[in-house]
Amino acid sequence: MSNPLMMNFLDGRLYKGALKNFCAPGLNCWSCPAAVLACPIGVMQAIGGSMNFSVSLYALGGVILIGLLIGRVVCGYLCPFGLFQELIYRLPTPKFKLPRGAERIKYFVLITFVLILPAAVTDYAGIGEPAFCEYICPVGTLEAGLPLLITHPELRAVLGGLFALKIAVLLIVLIGSATVERFFCRVLCPLGAMYGLLNRISFYRLSIDEKKCVGCGRCARACPMLIDPTAAPNSSECVRCDRCAADCPSKAIEIGLK
């Protein structure tokens, strides 16, 4: 949906048309050759780090509107990197559980790298750096950095420590995604953190019919985010993937607009 120009990967062209003024619902690097839409996190940092230190009401408002309507359905169905993580997790590698509280790291990433640093750390012209994009985002490295280096040899001459850091982060995320289901979504994604905050009040909700529930625990075992839907049907970690409802033998779980 947001990256249809796959042929651009062959020569490293970037689409710069009018659609780049609009944000994709999920993480989507502006510099990805296939991308026709911008990234909401990238736009927030660019506006927040401008000389006026403004808030991107368009990008923030779009995220809030989507979050209020469907919550983290974006993470479950609309984010390209979410699909990529699910494919990586199918590799035959050892599987692990996250340490308790690891999910909170993404809120630190959101506050520090998306909201504070772009406005607080500025250059000689008073313009802030897009800290999350520059130092962390593995989506940009995978979608844009590596493809552009392959198709533009002149860029390889200016590689330095920053790119090495980004490659290291990407490798950590790849290893994490192969061994922990939805590793990046659960631990590092600032956009997932924003949608998660709106999950509890979104119109697209998960509900449990307690009269039908037999307490078998199959829904909790089916959940890729390791949530017990019967205990927390609208947890901030729920990506609305519908696996719990599909696996429920008594059809006690319903998910939809309410």
Side-chain angles (χ1 to χ4, degrees), residues 124-155:
Y124 68 92
I127 298 175
E129 294 181 343
F132 176 74
C133 294
E134 190 165 348
Y135 298 112
I136 296 178
C137 186
V139 180
T141 307
L142 184 67
E143 287 187 357
L146 293 176
L148 290 177
L149 285 174
I150 292 171
T151 54
H152 294 274
E154 68 277 9
L155 295 177

Side-chain angles (χ1 to χ4, degrees), residues 1 4 12 16-17 26 39 43 77 79 84 86 107 118-119 124 129 151 155 172 189 196 198-199 204-205 207 247 257:
M1 179 184 72
K16 299 180 181 179
C39 176
V43 171
Y77 289 99
C79 181
F84 178 74
E86 292 206 353
Y107 297 101
Y124 68 92
E129 294 181 343
T151 54
L155 295 177
I172 290 171
C189 183
L198 298 166
N199 237 14
Y204 194 86
R205 304 178 64 76
S207 60
D247 215 46
L257 292 170

Side-chain angles (χ1 to χ4, degrees), residues 2 24 28 48 68 89 102 104 115 131 140 170 207 229 255:
S2 55
N28 191 61
L68 286 174
Y89 188 71
R104 297 175 185 172
L115 301 178
L170 176 60
S207 60
I255 185 168

Side-chain angles (χ1 to χ4, degrees), residues 154-233:
E154 68 277 9
L155 295 177
R156 301 169 199 167
V158 296
L159 294 181
L162 181 58
F163 187 74
L165 172 64
K166 292 295 294 291
I167 289 294
V169 172
L170 176 60
L171 289 175
I172 290 171
V173 169
L174 291 177
I175 295 170
S177 299
T179 57
V180 176
E181 194 161 10
R182 289 276 185 157
F183 173 80
F184 179 73
C185 296
R186 295 166 65 187
V187 178
L188 292 174
C189 183
L191 189 57
M194 295 180 70
Y195 285 133
L197 292 172
L198 298 166
N199 237 14
R200 297 180 185 277
I201 58 174
S202 69
F203 290 101
Y204 194 86
R205 304 178 64 76
L206 189 149
S207 60
I208 309 293
D209 187 333
E210 295 183 0
K211 294 180 180 179
K212 292 183 179 179
C213 179
V214 296
C216 64
R218 287 179 59 174
C219 55
R221 291 193 294 271
C223 179
M225 307 298 279
L226 298 184
I227 303 164
D228 181 355
T230 61

Side-chain angles (χ1 to χ4, degrees), residues 26-170:
L27 286 182
N28 191 61
C29 186
W30 192 97
S31 297
C32 172
V36 297
L37 300 174
C39 176
I41 293 295
V43 171
M44 288 182 201
Q45 290 174 99
I47 301 299
S50 67
M51 294 178 67
N52 296 323
F53 303 113
S54 301
V55 175
S56 176
L57 297 178
Y58 156 64
L60 181 59
V63 169
I64 291 175
L65 176 61
I66 292 172
L68 286 174
L69 289 174
I70 60 176
R72 291 193 74 178
V73 170
V74 173
C75 307
Y77 289 99
L78 300 179
C79 181
F81 204 66
L83 172 61
F84 178 74
Q85 289 177 86
E86 292 206 353
L87 295 175
I88 291 292
Y89 188 71
R90 294 181 182 181
L91 294 174
T93 61
K95 308 303 180 185
F96 302 101
K97 292 183 178 180
L98 282 178
R100 188 180 183 89
E103 291 90 348
R104 297 175 185 172
I105 296 174
K106 62 180 173 290
Y107 297 101
F108 170 80
V109 172
L110 170 64
I111 293 170
T112 303
F113 288 88
V114 177
L115 301 178
I116 294 178
L117 289 180
V121 181
T122 60
D123 61 16
Y124 68 92
I127 298 175
E129 294 181 343
F132 176 74
C133 294
E134 190 165 348
Y135 298 112
I136 296 178
C137 186
V139 180
T141 307
L142 184 67
E143 287 187 357
L146 293 176
L148 290 177
L149 285 174
I150 292 171
T151 54
H152 294 274
E154 68 277 9
L155 295 177
R156 301 169 199 167
V158 296
L159 294 181
L162 181 58
F163 187 74
L165 172 64
K166 292 295 294 291
I167 289 294
V169 172
L170 176 60

